[in-house]
Amino acid sequence: MPKLIAQPTRVVADGEPPKLIDEYVGRVNTHATAVSIAHMRSPAGWRERGQRPEFDEYSLVLRGTLRVEHDGGILDVGAGQAVLVRGGEHVRYSTPGDEGAEYIAVCLPAFSPDTVHRDP
């Protein structure tokens, strides 16, 4: 039987200035460990620490530009585009543009603070 997920849970985000994360599926809202799906809204100038997660992360940009810094350079992902960051890759996400970014993040397995491995 289908299960309605009536609302997300707001979770604390890494980085400055603060961004909004609403988790629909994942360890916090539905106790799922196989996948997490979250709606992200990042203000202009947001940056987080680098990370080397154990999970794959797909990000679908709905508005603005999401910057992905990686060992090979910088990738700017615009509205209507998506990016896949494979587990084990070192990345740092930011939204340097004037409008910030709105995007959907899907992590396989689900995001966990214990498996994201953020830089100090």
Side-chain angles (χ1 to χ4, degrees):
M1 170 179 270
K3 178 183 176 184
L4 175 66
I5 300 168
Q7 62 188 28
T9 298
R10 177 74 40 93
V11 296
V12 177
D14 188 70
E16 291 294 328
K19 78 173 179 178
L20 301 176
I21 300 177
D22 290 327
E23 180 187 275
Y24 283 83
V25 176
R27 295 175 191 272
V28 176
N29 199 48
T30 62
H31 308 289
T33 59
V35 63
S36 59
I37 303 172
H39 184 192
M40 316 287 220
R41 289 178 300 283
S42 303
W46 169 79
R47 294 177 73 138
E48 70 178 355
R49 293 177 288 160
Q51 60 187 21
R52 190 178 300 275
E54 294 177 22
F55 47 82
D56 290 349
E57 183 167 356
Y58 297 82
S59 297
L60 170 62
V61 178
L62 305 173
R63 181 185 57 78
T65 301
L66 176 66
R67 176 164 287 171
V68 182
E69 297 175 50
H70 55 94
D71 291 340
I74 296 174
L75 184 62
D76 286 334
V77 185
Q81 297 180 318
V83 62
L84 165 60
V85 174
R86 294 270 183 206
E89 293 184 284
H90 186 264
V91 295
R92 182 168 70 179
Y93 296 102
S94 64
T95 51
D98 290 341
E99 64 179 315
E102 179 179 1
Y103 58 103
I104 303 296
V106 177
C107 299
L108 298 165
F111 175 91
S112 167
D114 296 331
T115 61
V116 72
H117 305 297
R118 294 199 191 279
D119 294 346

